[in-house]
Amino acid sequence: KAYVYGVSNPLLGEVPCADVEITDHSISETDIIKYCKLNLSAYKVPVKVKINNINLTVNGKKKRNYTT
């Protein structure tokens, strides 16, 4: 599973970042970025990748943290 979202960037406006849930722990963040560079357009490649468990709601959607 993967969740890609935009993060503010002063130069570009927004850049993509990704949270990835993997089962093979031999894969690193740099491996994922290298794969994305080979298979995606340059503007779609995540700047930062975090490998962790993605918090999902009961419906299977990404749980968002809203601050007020």
Side-chain angles (χ1 to χ4, degrees):
K1 296 178 189 175
Y3 174 67
V4 180
Y5 53 94
V7 175
S8 295
N9 182 297
L11 181 62
L12 300 173
E14 260 189 2
V15 293
C17 292
D19 290 345
V20 181
E21 185 177 329
I22 59 172
T23 56
D24 183 3
H25 295 289
S26 65
I27 299 173
S28 68
E29 290 91 352
T30 55
D31 293 334
I32 295 171
I33 292 174
K34 285 179 188 176
Y35 178 83
C36 290
K37 284 182 180 180
L38 290 173
N39 295 292
L40 296 174
S41 300
Y43 71 95
K44 293 182 180 180
V45 175
V47 176
K48 187 184 292 185
V49 174
K50 290 192 291 184
I51 296 177
N52 59 0
N53 291 330
I54 299 173
N55 295 327
L56 300 177
T57 63
V58 176
N59 296 333
K61 296 182 179 180
K62 170 74 170 97
K63 187 180 283 187
R64 300 178 188 268
N65 297 328
Y66 293 106
T67 57
T68 56

